[in-house]
């Protein structure tokens, strides 16, 4: 079964910059050769807001998306501008359930460089696309890769994210094809 | 009989080879015409010419027989340096024992050997003058570095003293170079270190001792310790048995020793400032030095390299499972693990964490 038969959906949660969703969709099509569907936008996930941390819990948001049971799509990427976290992390750029159906991506922390300076819009969208592709890899059960240039390499900061490539290394690419073949 | 190359008739006959033109040559490996060389250097030079072509003729004799050569090596180095006008060396350039050289150095302002000796023994001389000769205290004892010996038995020749050498070696061991760090899902893993499943690390030092500490994963889970109870020097630790105890506000967590061996040194800084363990777990936050007794076999039971990275990844997944079902099988991108997971996640019980990751719950009575 090839990736083309997979249906991938992207949706906005809350307000997003103009064209953000289109650019992410374009990158998904460019690298995975499948055009995602743009799903109807949802409101800001206030149910996931943590007052102590002033951030939104990514785990709760993913659970909520999984409960929504989107028809006609198998994998869903939720994109938002709010700050995400999970309890053991300071913050996250994206989160996905390994081998699951839903993932979330946040633009909040991608707007700044490592030195604190503001990033241009082009770079922000490029980073968001990489994170979305990375989370999509987790949804297809790919694990973190040791290869620093691979899309599936863990990026702890924007500097590492910028150094990573939007493409898979040969081993992860083979692994992805193998996963798809056995579905 | 003409002189042969090696001063004997037999050798001369053996070595007086004839070239194609019938001329005599010095030797089969020295195809130079004998008469021609002798006319320049004299017979004595050729006589003493060895197989390596290095002459062993005493220099004075050589000089006499080789008037045509200007041997500049006889000039004194002070003459060569242009300090004096003329002086020929008569000591085979053994400047160290040359009285002229010593006199020149003094004249140039360098202290005499006696003065140097006096400088070297300055502090020792002061020690001897301050204390009675029979009561010379050890300087390390006076500084409080050791409790014994109290008296110096080496006449302050510290470089020959075992205690001094031991302290110097300890001083060198306290510096730990910064290792290369790999970020595994927000947790730091030092490259080249061995890891025990109880989250202690071991680093082989150059002299065969092993440095031991706590890895970043355990430091972040349990947060900043209020105290660390280390073993004492001389204690024997067995791999897998309790090596030390981390305490935080009355709650204790024992940790397993990654290797078997005798404790040789302790990082006392961690007992005085336990926060250094969390700040730099792979550098200045080390806990103890061990002299291993079963290194090869013990290392086989530890994680290393890629294996250690995968293990930390699995531990991360285990930790997320403990947080709740909403975080099960979660894979994060970006950020780092928070410094104090135990404090920030009230649902995580101390004993549960110790049992799950340190594997010592059963060892604590």
């Amino acid at each position: 079964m090839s990736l083309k038969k997979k249906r991938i959906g992207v949706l906005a949660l809350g307000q997003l910059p103009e064209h953000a969703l289109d650019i992410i969709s374009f990158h998904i099509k460019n690298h995975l050769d499948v055009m995602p569907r743009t799903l109807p936008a949802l409101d800001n996930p206030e149910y996931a807001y943590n007052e102590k941390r002033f951030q939104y819990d990514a785990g709760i948001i993913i659970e909520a998306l999984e409960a929504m049971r989107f028809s006609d799509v198998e994998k869903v990427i939720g994109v938002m501008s709010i700050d995400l976290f999970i309890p053991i992390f300071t913050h996250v750029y994206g989160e996905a359930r390994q081998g699951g159906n839903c993932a979330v991506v946040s633009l909040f922390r991608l707007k700044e460089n490592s030195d604190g300076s503001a990033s241009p819009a082009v770079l922000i969208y490029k980073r968001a696309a990489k994170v979305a592709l990375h989370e999509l890899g987790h949804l297809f059960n790919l694990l973190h890769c040791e290869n620093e240039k691979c899309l599936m390499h863990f990026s702890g900061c924007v500097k590492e994210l910028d150094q990573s490539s939007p493409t898979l290394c040969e081993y992860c690419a083979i692994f992805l094809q193998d996963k798809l073949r056995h579905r | 009989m003409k002189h042969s190359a090696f001063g004997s008739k037999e050798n001369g006959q053996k070595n007086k080879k004839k070239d194609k033109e019938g001329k005599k040559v010095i030797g089969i490996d020295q195809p130079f015409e004998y008469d021609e060389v002798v006319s320049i250097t004299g017979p004595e030079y050729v006589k003493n010419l060895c197989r390596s072509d290095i002459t062993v003729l005493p220099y004075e004799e050589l000089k006499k027989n080789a008037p045509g050569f200007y041997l500049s090596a006889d000039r004194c180095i002070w003459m060569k340096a242009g300090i004096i006008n003329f002086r020929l060396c008569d000591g085979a350039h053994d400047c160290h024992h040359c009285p002229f050289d010593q006199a020149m150095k003094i004249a140039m302002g360098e202290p005499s050997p006696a003065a140097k000796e006096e400088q070297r023994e300055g502090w020792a001389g002061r020690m001897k003058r301050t204390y009675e000769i029979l009561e010379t205290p050890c300087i390390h004892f006076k500084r409080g570095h050791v409790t014994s010996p109290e008296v110096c038995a080496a006449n302050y020749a510290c470089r020959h003293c075992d205690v001094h050498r031991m302290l110097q070696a300890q001083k060198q061991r306290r510096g730990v170079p910064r290792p290369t760090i790999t970020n595994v899902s927000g947790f730091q893993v030092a490259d080249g270190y061995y890891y025990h499943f109880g989250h202690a690390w071991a680093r082989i030092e150059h002299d065969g001792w092993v440095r031991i500490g706590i890895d970043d994963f355990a430091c972040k889970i349990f947060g900043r310790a209020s105290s660390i109870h280390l073993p004492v020097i001389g204690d024997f630790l067995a791999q897998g048995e309790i090596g030390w105890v981390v305490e935080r506000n009355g709650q204790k967590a024992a940790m397993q020793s990654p290797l078997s061996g005798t404790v040789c040194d302790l990082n006392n800084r961690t007992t005085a400032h336990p926060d250094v363990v969390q700040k730099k777990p792979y550098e200045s936050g080390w806990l103890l030095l061990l002299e291993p007794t079963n290194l090869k076999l013990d290392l086989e039971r530890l994680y290393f390299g890629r294996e250690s990275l995968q293990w930390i990844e699995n531990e991360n997944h285990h930790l997320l499972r403990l947080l709740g079902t909403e975080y099960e099988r979660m894979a994060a991108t970006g950020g780092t693990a928070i410094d104090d997971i135990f404090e920030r996640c009230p649902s995580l019980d101390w004993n549960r964490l110790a049992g799950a990751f340190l594997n010592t719950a059963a060892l604590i009575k």
Side-chain angles (χ1 to χ4, degrees), chain B residues 245-306:
Chain B
V245 177
V246 174
E247 185 174 347
R248 180 178 177 172
N249 300 331
Q251 292 179 306
K252 295 182 182 179
M255 293 192 69
Q256 298 180 55
S257 173
L259 298 168
S260 300
T262 306
V263 178
C264 295
D265 195 12
L266 300 173
N267 187 1
N268 294 317
R269 197 176 167 197
T270 58
T271 49
H273 305 282
D275 56 313
V276 74
V277 176
Q278 193 187 40
K279 283 180 186 172
K280 294 189 176 180
Y282 300 114
E283 298 169 62
S284 51
W286 62 276
L287 296 181
L288 52 97
L289 274 174
L290 206 69
E291 186 176 8
T293 53
N294 200 16
L295 185 63
K296 190 177 176 209
L297 196 59
D298 286 351
L299 288 180
E300 288 174 7
R301 301 191 187 107
L302 305 182
Y303 298 113
F304 183 79
R306 191 176 292 178

Side-chain angles (χ1 to χ4, degrees), chain B residues 33-55:
Chain B
E33 191 180 339
Y34 178 81
D35 293 334
E36 185 179 343
V37 175
V38 166
S39 68
I40 298 172
T41 66
E44 291 299 321
Y45 180 82
V46 177
K47 175 183 172 183
N48 290 277
L49 202 62
C50 63
R51 292 186 69 82
S52 62
D53 279 345
I54 298 173
T55 181

Side-chain angles (χ1 to χ4, degrees), chain A residues 57 93 96-98 135 146, chain B residues 185 306 327-329 331 333-334:
Chain A
D57 194 319
Y93 302 147
R97 199 177 301 281
Q98 190 73 30
E135 301 309 328
E146 295 168 16
Chain B
S185 296
R306 191 176 292 178
Y327 306 107
E328 198 168 337
R329 293 185 293 117
T333 298

Side-chain angles (χ1 to χ4, degrees), chain B residues 153-209:
Chain B
N155 198 26
Y156 296 119
C158 298
R159 62 186 180 279
H160 299 303
C161 174
D162 288 339
V163 173
H164 178 78
R165 282 204 291 250
M166 180 195 73
L167 289 170
Q168 289 293 100
Q170 277 186 357
K171 191 177 172 184
Q172 286 172 4
R173 285 192 193 99
R174 288 179 193 276
V176 183
R178 181 180 169 81
T180 305
I181 299 292
T182 301
N183 191 336
V184 179
S185 296
F187 297 98
Q188 295 187 340
V189 180
D191 295 347
Y193 285 41
Y194 290 85
Y195 295 89
H196 186 262
F197 63 84
H199 289 279
W201 57 260
R203 179 176 182 266
I204 312 295
E205 298 293 320
H206 69 279
D207 51 6
W209 288 14

